[in-house]
Amino acid sequence: MSLTKPTLVIGNWKMHLNVQEASLLVHRLGKHIKPHRDVEVVLAPSLLALQPVSLEIDRRKFRLAAQNAFYKDEGAYTGEVSFTMLRELAHYVLIGHSERRIYFGETLENVRDKVQAAVRNEITPVLCVGETKQERSDGQTRRVIHDQLTTAIMPLTSEEVEQMVVAYEPVWAISTFGHELAKPGEIEKVFRLIRSEIKELYGSNAAENVRVIYGGSVDDQLAGGYLELDDCDGVLVGAASLNYKQFSGIVDSAYRLEHRSEKKP
Ligand code: PEP
């Protein structure tokens, strides 16, 4: 885990919680989570709840992420919301989540365009990459990660890559797709691959400073084990982020580990 960057804990609420329910969860999280200098807690409500939630959060404790946006800044695109419209609301945006790739047919190029649009609008992209169960059993993991990562970051400068977040989320480990627990060695191997691909394209600074996080059935019991992995800068949490006790437990694990690493010589 990086000693200089705060640990990132992102809660992806997906298409759950109406505005009232979102407000209740924010209220409960606010009571249970204390501001931590070393842990950055990010909430990703639905697009509809993003604006009301932005008025309710304690900004010392929480930042916001959008779950998606369209890559054009403005125009006749019925039903879409642009990154330009989100720039005052969201610090982060999830891009290339497996649910978007699988259910909405987002291609490598769509993801690349969205990453570019986020950067253009000064919103930090959280680029999600990960192989399906079939790709894993076919021995295609390295190729899938390579393709998803390199296509998405190709138009960026090394400074832009340095600022972004890459979330490794094996599709088979996401609670709604497979719920299979990934082994630490397996995750670390992909973390190393992500950094080495970035090093090759953008050099050591970008490879060392990009934040690489893990997602896939993370809950309050498992979070510590993932956060302890070599090179893990945080977690992306789906189902468990809807439960305030679980999510604040995950934030506590991140805080305990950061606190421990501060004390290391
Ligand atoms: C996700 O959807 O990004 C995710 C990791 O979900 P879950 O924690 O429910 O597996």
Side-chain angles (χ1 to χ4, degrees), residues 43-190:
L43 308 176
S46 75
L47 211 44
L48 189 65
L50 198 55
Q51 209 267 343
V53 164
S54 79
L55 303 174
E56 291 175 357
I57 51 167
D58 179 340
R59 284 165 194 279
R60 293 167 308 159
K61 298 182 184 176
F62 302 110
R63 283 185 155 173
L64 294 179
Q67 297 177 19
N68 180 38
F70 187 53
Y71 66 89
K72 295 276 191 184
D73 287 344
E74 194 183 350
Y77 301 101
T78 303
E80 294 298 319
V81 168
S82 72
F83 290 89
T84 313
M85 292 167 170
L86 292 173
R87 56 188 296 165
E88 264 85 51
L89 283 177
H91 266 90
Y92 293 95
V93 59
L94 308 182
I95 300 180
H97 191 282
S98 53
E99 287 155 11
R100 297 220 52 91
R101 295 184 196 260
I102 293 168
Y103 299 142
F104 300 95
E106 284 195 7
T107 62
L108 297 179
E109 292 72 26
N110 295 152
V111 171
R112 174 199 62 200
D113 293 346
K114 289 184 178 201
V115 168
Q116 238 184 324
V119 170
R120 182 167 71 240
N121 285 288
E122 296 175 346
I123 302 176
T124 304
V126 178
L127 170 68
C128 303
V129 298
E131 78 287 2
T132 61
K133 191 181 171 79
Q134 186 65 51
E135 288 162 342
R136 178 194 190 207
S137 56
D138 290 347
Q140 294 290 314
T141 301
R142 291 183 73 86
R143 182 196 56 78
V144 171
I145 303 299
H146 167 88
D147 291 353
Q148 292 180 345
L149 178 69
T150 57
T151 312
I153 65 176
M154 203 53 95
L156 304 184
T157 65
S158 63
E159 288 73 24
E160 289 165 348
V161 171
E162 214 170 303
Q163 296 305 319
M164 68 184 285
V165 179
V166 180
Y168 172 48
E169 298 208 300
V171 178
W172 44 270
I174 292 184
S175 63
T176 47
F177 283 122
H179 217 317
E180 197 180 319
L181 293 187
K183 296 196 179 69
E186 223 170 338
I187 302 170
E188 283 172 331
K189 216 194 255 178
V190 176

Side-chain angles (χ1 to χ4, degrees), residues 1-2 4-12 33-44 57-65 90-93 123-126 162-165 209 211 213 227 233-237 247 250-256 258:
M1 194 187 303
S2 159
T4 51
K5 291 199 169 164
T7 299
L8 202 49
V9 179
I10 307 179
N12 175 13
I33 292 175
K34 307 263 170 301
H36 295 312
R37 184 169 44 90
D38 306 314
V39 180
E40 190 177 346
V41 184
V42 180
L43 308 176
I57 51 167
D58 179 340
R59 284 165 194 279
R60 293 167 308 159
K61 298 182 184 176
F62 302 110
R63 283 185 155 173
L64 294 179
H91 266 90
Y92 293 95
V93 59
I123 302 176
T124 304
V126 178
E162 214 170 303
Q163 296 305 319
M164 68 184 285
V165 179
N209 291 323
R211 280 169 293 171
I213 65 174
L227 289 165
D233 294 314
V235 283
L236 176 50
V237 185
F247 193 65
I250 295 170
V251 174
D252 282 344
S253 301
Y255 179 61
R256 274 197 301 276
E258 271 289 353

